[in-house]
Amino acid sequence: CMLEDISFKVNKGETVAFIGSTGSGKSTLINLIPRFYDVTSGSILVDGIDVREYKMNYLYNKLGYIPQRAVMFDGTIKYNVSYGESNTKITDKEIKNAVKIAQGYDFVEKMPEKYNYHVAQGGNNISGGQKQRLAIARAILRNPEIYIFDDSFSALDYKTDYNLRKDLREYTKDATVLIVAQRIGTIINADKIIVLENGKMVGIGNHKELLKKCKVYKEIALSQLSKEELENA
């Protein structure tokens, strides 16, 4: 999707969400930050510096990126959560804490070997929601400055989604959180919501502001929740 005329600022510690119909450019936009693509005009700044000027390693260390399709490796749950961390000082306690925040504690504890349970390549022996939670735990363990959730809550039920975001917010008080979502319920409490349509920004504000002033947002909201639910949100 081609992106045009999009400009916004995200402050440290803010939660900013991106919503829009399929093909509106949400993932394309968010994937510019870790440089899966580069802009052809304009720039993406992190801490005031163009992302293209960072050494890739340095940039990646600032980010915790969780894709929609969680990547799982052939190895234990412990290995999967700590994957990519060169720090050998990571403790079992830190891994358990990350899994707990990601709402994976209950299902991991029920596994035959718990944290030593063997996950098949691609995670074929665990569910989609379990994969997403382990991928989120992996990002939490990195303790990044910026979390990027690219529709990473889609396989979770509403209650797990809500509890995960609540625990994450308490744990990552200073981190900046960017969320691409399909569900209004996932982003209703974001500090800022950016509404995209056909690669353009058609609205920016919080949930209540957008309900009043952004037609596209209101249409998405009413297609998912009743008027009563929206008014009480």
Side-chain angles (χ1 to χ4, degrees), residues 93-117:
K93 191 179 176 184
E94 286 170 317
I95 290 170
K96 280 183 183 178
N97 189 45
V99 169
K100 206 167 196 172
I101 295 161
Q103 309 302 307
Y105 185 78
D106 287 352
F107 85 77
V108 173
E109 286 294 322
K110 285 175 189 156
M111 294 285 192
E113 291 102 8
K114 297 183 181 178
Y115 291 84
N116 290 319
Y117 178 77

Side-chain angles (χ1 to χ4, degrees), residues 188 207-208 211 226-233:
I188 217 159
H207 170 70
K208 283 193 161 60
L211 273 184
S226 69
K227 273 190 170 161
E228 291 74 30
E229 284 173 312
L230 285 172
E231 279 160 15
N232 295 328

Side-chain angles (χ1 to χ4, degrees), residues 130-190:
Q130 289 170 342
K131 280 194 270 195
Q132 278 191 336
R133 281 175 277 177
L134 291 178
I136 291 166
R138 186 188 296 152
I140 291 166
L141 192 66
R142 286 174 67 83
N143 205 13
E145 292 172 35
I146 302 168
Y147 285 89
I148 301 174
F149 294 100
D150 189 0
D151 206 11
S152 335
F153 302 108
S154 56
L156 307 179
D157 60 73
Y158 277 102
K159 190 182 173 195
T160 306
D161 177 342
Y162 173 80
N163 289 336
L164 197 155
R165 284 180 292 106
K166 182 170 152 284
D167 289 358
L168 191 68
R169 184 165 268 232
E170 282 169 22
Y171 176 74
T172 63
K173 284 186 178 71
D174 296 331
T176 303
V177 178
L178 306 176
I179 303 174
V180 166
Q182 306 283 352
R183 297 194 298 218
I184 290 281
T186 300
I187 63 166
I188 217 159
N189 296 315

